């Protein structure tokens, strides 16, 4: 199979400068890194092709020969890569450009602990007014016996003899660019810089143990399903003296048998019979604060909404509360006695358009009347 053009391999033009070629090379190395590319075999083949192209185009003399003679080089023997040794394989090449591979080789310092999540269910009323809840969280905490050091009480961790406490070791590799020094985490101490010869018997040298901790969570009034409450420093213990993570409480509000919610407003439906709707009445309506008397005006239609100010949900961001909106549903009787039917028929004979207060209904009846005239 014929070789691809080196400029095409690196994705640069023939006029590309040294820095542009180097930048393209680094980008491709990262793209085809065996640790991130899904096809390991393809990644290795690509890296070989990319390295070969870069060795030629990064060398002014070899590049000039390639521009003049192509892959054949001067004569017909092709390019001599001088038995280039890439040291420990692809790893050293990545170390050279990315500082000890994709993960870097610096010793890790104090690290914040992991955050935790807790799902909390609240009643409709608890979400409306707020509540203090006690939750039990399983989490990793610093060992009480060794104080988080990981060493048995009375002993201390020793400085690593390999890296001398730095957590890093340097190696020199021979590459096509010459000798390159790379830095990796120390394999003896795992990059910690210290070795625990006598681990704590309680935590096994980890410095942390799993515990169940009861935590009080203040839930503000006005929360809704999906609200996230942050409780600082109640997550997992940190690493190497780092601060603990946070606890995030995710709220789920349970449905109510009578009330619904619309933003900060509470909504409900209340039935009245057609006599109450026609003559007007007072009805007892439940609210979050208890029952209240609500006046239903004379001639109220089904679907009419009556608003009670300040009887809704506490505003999460702001002051005061929303309202309660009561939708009136006029109930039409389905089971009538003969006497009730007769009375209604007599009543119906007395009705006229003058008894209709709704202008839309008046207009409709006028149209019907005109149609039969």
């Amino acid at each position: 199979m014929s070789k691809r053009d080196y400029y095409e391999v690196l994705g640069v033009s023939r006029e590309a400068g040294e820095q542009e070629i180097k930048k393209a090379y680094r980008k491709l190395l990262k793209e085809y890194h065996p640790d991130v590319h899904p096809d390991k075999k393809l990644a290795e083949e690509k890296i070989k092709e990319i390295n070969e192209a870069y060795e030629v185009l990064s060398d002014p003399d070899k590049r000039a020969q390639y521009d003049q003679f192509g892959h054949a080089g001067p004569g017909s023997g092709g390019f001599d890569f001088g038995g280039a040794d890439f040291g420990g394989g692809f790893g050293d090449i990545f170390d050279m450009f990315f500082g000890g591979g994709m993960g870097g080789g610096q010793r890790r310092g104090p690290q914040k602990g992991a955050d935790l999540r807790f799902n909390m269910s609240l009643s409709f009323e608890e979400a409306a007014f707020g509540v203090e809840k006690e939750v039990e969280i399983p989490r990793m905490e610093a060992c009480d016996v060794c104080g988080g050091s990981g060493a048995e009480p009375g002993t201390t961790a020793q400085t690593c003899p390999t890296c001398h406490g730095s957590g890093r070791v340097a190696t020199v590799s021979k590459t096509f660019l010459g000798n390159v020094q790379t830095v990796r985490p120390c394999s003896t101490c795992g990059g910690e810089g210290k070795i625990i010869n006598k681990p704590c018997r309680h935590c096994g040298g980890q410095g942390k143990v799993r515990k169940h901790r009861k935590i009080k969570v203040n839930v503000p009034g006005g929360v809704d399903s999906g609200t996230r409450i942050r409780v600082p420093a109640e997550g997992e213990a940190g690493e190497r003296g780092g601060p603990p993570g946070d606890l995030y409480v995710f709220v789920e509000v349970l449905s109510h048998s009578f009330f619904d919610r619309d933003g900060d407003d509470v909504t409900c439906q209340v039935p009245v019979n057609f006599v109450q709707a026609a003559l007007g009445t007072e009805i007892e309506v439940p609210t979050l604060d208890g029952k209240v008397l609500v006046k239903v005006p004379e001639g109220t239609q089904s679907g009419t909404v009556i608003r009670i100010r300040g009887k809704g949900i506490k505003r999460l961001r702001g002051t005061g509360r929303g309202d309660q909106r009561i939708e009136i549903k006029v109930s039409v009787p389905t089971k009538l006695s003969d006497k009730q039917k007769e009375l209604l028929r007599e009543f119906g004979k007395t009705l006229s358009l003058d008894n209709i207060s709704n202008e839309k209904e008046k207009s409709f009846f006028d149209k019907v009347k005109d149609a039969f005239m």
Side-chain angles (χ1 to χ4, degrees):
M1 179 180 287
S2 60
K3 291 185 177 181
R4 291 173 62 202
D5 179 74
Y6 286 151
Y7 291 100
E8 181 185 342
V9 170
L10 296 184
V12 296
S13 68
R14 289 186 172 273
E15 291 75 29
E18 179 183 349
Q19 290 302 317
E20 185 180 348
I21 290 173
K22 187 173 183 179
K23 183 178 179 180
Y25 176 58
R26 288 172 58 115
K27 181 180 178 181
L28 290 169
L29 282 183
K30 199 168 186 179
E31 180 180 348
Y32 289 102
H33 193 291
D35 289 344
V36 297
H37 198 278
D39 190 332
K40 305 294 184 186
K41 186 176 181 181
L42 175 63
E44 291 183 2
E45 293 174 356
K46 286 287 187 182
I47 292 296
K48 290 178 182 178
E49 184 182 41
I50 293 164
N51 285 333
E52 183 178 318
Y54 180 72
E55 184 174 357
V56 171
L57 299 185
S58 63
D59 185 301
D61 293 334
K62 290 182 180 180
R63 182 178 180 181
Q65 293 175 18
Y66 176 73
D67 289 343
Q68 185 175 0
F69 301 105
H71 287 293
S76 59
F79 282 97
D80 178 16
F81 292 98
D85 179 12
F86 297 124
F90 297 127
D92 287 335
I93 298 172
F94 288 107
D95 290 345
M96 176 180 67
F97 285 98
F98 304 114
M102 298 296 284
Q106 298 297 318
R107 180 185 175 188
R108 297 176 296 170
Q111 184 178 350
K112 183 180 177 181
D115 294 332
L116 294 177
R117 170 174 179 152
F118 183 84
N119 296 328
M120 177 185 287
S121 296
L122 298 176
S123 69
F124 195 91
E125 291 83 357
E126 288 173 334
F129 296 116
V131 67
E132 183 180 81
K133 288 272 193 177
E134 186 176 73
V135 299
E136 187 171 323
I137 302 292
R139 67 184 184 186
M140 297 299 292
E141 297 185 0
C143 176
D144 295 329
V145 176
C146 65
S149 69
E152 184 70 16
T155 67
T156 57
Q158 303 298 311
T159 300
C160 175
T162 303
C163 66
H164 306 291
S166 68
R168 298 171 292 168
V169 290
T171 58
V172 178
S173 302
K174 182 181 178 183
T175 73
F176 54 85
L177 295 179
N179 293 333
V180 176
Q181 178 176 292
T182 59
V183 179
R184 290 190 177 91
C186 176
S187 59
T188 304
C189 64
E192 299 294 334
K194 295 182 179 181
I195 295 176
I196 300 175
N197 293 316
K198 194 173 182 181
C200 171
R201 286 173 290 180
H202 185 62
C203 66
Q206 298 298 312
K208 296 185 290 184
V209 292
R210 181 161 291 278
K211 291 185 178 181
H212 287 259
R213 183 71 64 184
K214 290 183 177 180
I215 301 168
K216 288 185 178 180
V217 179
N218 289 312
V219 180
V223 297
D224 203 353
S225 291
T227 299
R228 188 183 71 170
I229 302 171
R230 175 176 171 263
V231 186
E234 293 293 355
E236 301 272 17
E239 299 283 350
R240 294 172 298 282
D246 300 325
L247 170 65
Y248 287 92
V249 178
F250 286 77
V251 172
E252 179 187 1
V253 181
L254 302 177
S255 60
H256 196 277
S257 59
F258 181 72
F259 298 121
D260 285 314
R261 179 172 178 172
D262 183 13
D264 294 327
D265 288 350
V266 171
T267 64
C268 64
Q269 292 183 341
V270 177
V272 297
N273 63 51
F274 72 97
V275 176
Q276 291 175 310
L279 301 180
T281 187
E282 279 192 343
I283 56 175
E284 198 174 58
V285 178
T287 72
L288 293 176
D289 303 291
K291 294 180 180 180
V292 297
L293 281 176
V294 175
K295 184 178 180 180
V296 178
E298 178 181 314
T300 295
Q301 304 296 307
S302 190
T304 298
V305 174
I306 300 174
R307 185 183 294 268
I308 309 177
R309 301 288 181 183
K311 292 295 184 181
I313 306 291
K314 185 177 179 181
R315 293 188 174 93
L316 183 60
R317 295 176 180 84
T319 58
R321 293 168 59 181
D323 302 330
Q324 179 165 334
R325 304 200 308 263
I326 304 165
E327 182 181 359
I328 301 297
K329 301 300 260 185
V330 178
S331 176
V332 178
T334 57
K335 295 180 180 181
L336 296 173
S337 67
D338 292 338
K339 183 177 180 180
Q340 289 172 326
K341 291 178 182 179
E342 184 61 30
L343 289 172
L344 283 176
R345 290 189 186 100
E346 291 297 322
F347 173 70
K349 292 176 183 179
T350 66
L351 292 176
S352 67
L353 291 180
D354 293 333
N355 298 121
I356 300 174
S357 60
N358 189 305
E359 293 300 325
K360 288 185 178 180
E361 290 186 13
K362 278 187 177 182
S363 176
F364 171 76
F365 284 115
D366 283 338
K367 290 179 182 178
V368 173
K369 180 179 178 182
D370 292 340
F372 286 95
M373 291 296 291

